[in-house]
Amino acid sequence: MKGDSISKIILQLALDILNLDRAISMAKEAVPGGVDWIEAGTPLIKSEGMEAIRELKRIFPDKKIIADMKTMDTGDFETEMASKAGADIISILGASDDSTIKEAIKAAKKYNSEIMIDLINVKNKVDRAAEVEKMGAKYVCIHVGIDQQMKGENPLQDIKDVKEAVTITIATAGGLNSENIPDVVSAGADIVIVGGAITKASNLLEAAKRIRKSIDL
């Protein structure tokens, strides 16, 4: 499998909620079900700030903590901020300026973190993925936003096309559940990012187990 340190398909839990205590409670329930990485989602970061990252890292020191910053500008400053709070991986928007991405990557190297480029709304995902790989990004994310999901869009072809174009690790996010995850894994996703299919379940542990089983089929 491609990527520096990925030896299996990673299940990343996206905590896209507003309350930090609730997010921590959810993570504690879901992680034993097979969650590998934990994401402080954009809504959580906007609501709770860097404290969300600090607390997740304190409580789950052995897990990679992802800061879904969706940074569009001042890549160095926001990467430094998230890294110092304990983030292992910081997301930068692929639609941002090249200089923003380059400065974020430079800051990540300085603070021992890594950059994931979110390709949401990038028109030519293949070309952009190849460009950010050359810049030094470690991950790209094929992300189908909620509004795009409502129009019936899915990431399968983009995953396949990007997989052919780059050697860095490919994540995918957006409406993923136990039914459609086998398809994205078959298409070439290395990291499966799941939010609502776990966090909105009545039993988060069992939901995480179902997702993990669907990944490992």
Side-chain angles (χ1 to χ4, degrees):
M1 183 179 296
K2 297 173 182 179
D4 291 342
S5 59
I6 305 293
S7 59
K8 67 171 185 174
I9 305 298
I10 295 294
L11 171 55
Q12 179 174 318
L13 173 64
L15 297 169
D16 287 318
I17 59 174
L18 300 179
N19 181 271
L20 179 55
D21 289 340
R22 181 64 180 136
I24 290 170
S25 176
M26 287 178 168
K28 286 180 176 179
E29 185 177 348
V31 163
V35 170
D36 301 296
W37 295 358
I38 303 170
E39 172 192 321
T42 311
L44 182 60
I45 290 174
K46 287 184 176 181
S47 177
E48 300 279 2
M50 295 298 100
E51 187 63 18
I53 299 168
R54 280 190 285 269
E55 278 298 287
L56 287 170
K57 194 63 178 180
R58 182 183 67 83
I59 295 168
F60 302 97
D62 297 329
K63 298 290 184 183
K64 279 189 182 292
I65 303 300
I66 291 76
D68 190 16
M69 302 286 281
K70 289 192 176 71
T71 295
M72 187 71 175
D73 193 17
T74 63
D76 52 352
F77 180 64
E78 295 201 3
T79 297
E80 176 183 352
M81 178 170 57
S83 299
K84 286 182 175 179
D88 299 287
I89 299 171
I90 298 96
S91 77
I92 309 291
L93 291 177
S96 60
D97 192 83
D98 285 2
S99 62
T100 300
I101 295 173
K102 289 176 181 177
E103 289 301 315
I105 292 167
K106 183 178 178 180
K109 290 178 180 177
K110 181 177 180 180
Y111 294 103
N112 198 32
S113 58
E114 297 176 315
I115 297 298
M116 179 183 289
I117 303 299
D118 188 333
L119 298 177
I120 189 169
N121 280 351
V122 170
K123 297 301 182 184
N124 192 325
K125 292 177 174 56
V126 172
D127 284 355
R128 194 56 169 159
E131 289 168 356
V132 300
E133 179 179 33
K134 290 179 181 177
M135 293 180 205
K138 298 296 185 181
Y139 311 87
V140 289
C141 181
I142 310 299
H143 185 180
V144 181
I146 292 175
D147 293 339
Q148 295 167 326
Q149 293 171 41
M150 296 296 288
K151 294 187 290 185
E153 296 185 23
N154 72 70
L156 296 180
Q157 192 59 52
D158 285 333
I159 294 171
K160 293 175 183 177
D161 292 343
V162 171
K163 191 77 171 182
E164 290 294 317
V166 301
T167 62
I168 55 175
T169 304
I170 298 174
T172 188
L176 298 181
N177 54 51
S178 59
E179 294 182 358
N180 57 27
I181 280 174
D183 293 332
V184 301
V185 171
S186 295
D190 303 306
I191 303 168
V192 176
I193 303 173
V194 179
I198 295 177
T199 60
K200 295 179 181 179
S202 57
N203 186 317
L204 275 67
L205 176 61
E206 291 304 315
K209 287 180 178 178
R210 283 195 300 273
I211 296 293
R212 183 75 253 174
K213 184 176 180 180
S214 72
I215 291 172
D216 296 336
L217 286 176

